[in-house]
Amino acid sequence: MNDQQLLRYSRHILLDELDIEGQEKLLAAHALIIGAGGLGSPAAFYLASAGVGKITLVDDDTVDLTNLQRQILHTTERVGQPKVASGKATLQKINPEIEIVALNERVSGGRLNELVASASIVLDCSDNFATRHAVNRACVAHRVPLVSGAAVRFDGQISVFDTRRDAPCYACLFPEDQQFDEVNCGTMGVFAPLVGIIGSMQAAEALKVIAGIGEPLAGRLLLLDARSMEWSSIKAARNPACKVCGHVHL
Ligand SMILES: [Zn+2]
């Protein structure tokens, strides 16, 4: 790190748990963020400001006026622009030293696999089960840790899925063949700061996993009811019969 970097990241370097060594791990890391919306905005903000060396933002959507109530990467004058271009412009202003890759596409199949394989960590900031399952499959296949978040109305949830340790994958908790009601904020609404809370926690968990700090939320699902601001923590074990990770050996 040069003198400017030592200054920029000094409040991280002061942390015993992080230090120069941890900050160097962040600078060497590649975070793949699926979704540049409500959750992806705060997550990307903190990963960029904290100095994650390479961030790939993936989203095929454009900025809409209805997004601006909570998707803080974007601005009024960028309505109509691709979200990833808007996100990249914001992030690069905060930290011009890191590399931001903006992919204006909906990734799946081989393309998704390729991207996940190149990442140190994946943040699922999407808003639908099909994407969540596809991202989970790719993360299990390439043994890349996944930080998963969701938020709708006043209800939020977050967990870390990391099959490098004895912990469940997303499909252990939410099997692919089980029908869940697809609830999204487009029809149900979402409380603006809720996505900020959950997205910021996704960034915190991602930074912890990259730097090897503390205990990540692997094997635990946190649920937030923002009406009462009550958190519940559910312990989740690996399902040996899971169709996605059941065959993966520790
Ligand atoms: Zn599983």
Side-chain angles (χ1 to χ4, degrees):
M1 269 185 274
N2 60 37
D3 287 352
Q4 286 297 309
Q5 288 174 311
L6 290 170
L7 277 176
R8 181 184 280 271
Y9 305 119
S10 57
R11 300 307 189 266
H12 255 174
I13 293 166
L14 280 170
L15 299 171
D16 290 340
E17 293 84 351
L18 207 63
D19 212 330
I20 288 187
E21 203 182 309
Q23 189 61 47
E24 277 172 346
K25 285 183 191 165
L26 300 184
L27 288 165
H30 174 202
L32 172 63
I33 304 180
I34 309 291
L39 298 170
S41 284
F45 254 110
Y46 277 116
L47 295 189
S49 67
V52 170
K54 181 176 176 184
I55 297 172
T56 300
L57 267 183
V58 182
D59 202 309
D60 68 340
D61 211 359
T62 52
V63 180
D64 185 84
L65 187 58
T66 59
N67 300 150
L68 299 179
Q69 162 251 21
R70 66 200 175 283
Q71 301 187 11
I72 56 174
L73 274 179
H74 313 303
T75 60
T76 306
E77 68 266 26
R78 298 199 200 125
V79 166
Q81 289 184 18
K83 284 187 180 177
V84 291
S86 165
K88 180 175 175 170
T90 301
L91 299 173
Q92 219 66 96
K93 276 189 186 166
I94 297 164
N95 194 345
E97 293 186 349
I98 59 168
E99 183 188 354
I100 315 275
V101 179
L103 300 178
N104 184 20
E105 52 189 291
R106 177 167 289 257
V107 293
S108 59
R111 176 81 169 131
L112 178 61
N113 265 295
E114 192 184 300
L115 282 170
V116 167
S118 74
S120 347
I121 191 144
V122 177
L123 288 84
D124 183 0
C125 300
S126 70
D127 63 355
N128 64 85
F129 283 112
T131 303
R132 288 185 193 128
H133 282 303
V135 170
N136 178 59
R137 270 188 181 274
C139 286
V140 170
H142 298 287
R143 313 205 88 168
V144 176
L146 168 63
V147 185
S148 175
V152 69
R153 290 177 299 222
F154 287 86
D155 304 305
Q157 69 176 50
I158 173 169
S159 189
V160 173
F161 300 104
D162 189 351
T163 47
R164 298 173 308 173
R165 48 175 87 216
D166 186 18
C169 81
Y170 182 80
C172 291
L173 275 66
F174 306 98
E176 290 185 338
D177 49 11
Q178 209 166 305
Q179 286 298 315
F180 293 98
D181 284 340
E182 193 81 72
V183 287
N184 65 56
C185 59
T187 49
M188 311 302 281
V190 62
F191 186 48
L194 177 68
V195 292
I197 296 168
I198 301 293
S200 301
M201 285 182 74
Q202 286 183 265
E205 288 302 301
L207 295 176
K208 280 168 57 190
V209 171
I210 296 167
I213 298 168
E215 276 301 312
L217 275 172
R220 275 187 299 154
L221 177 68
L222 285 190
L223 301 167
L224 172 64
D225 181 344
R227 298 169 196 84
S228 55
M229 229 26 119
E230 295 270 2
W231 289 94
S232 13
S233 177
I234 297 170
K235 280 212 168 117
R238 199 161 179 183
N239 173 10
C242 173
K243 287 186 181 136
V244 178
C245 76
H247 63 285
V248 174
H249 300 289
L250 289 170

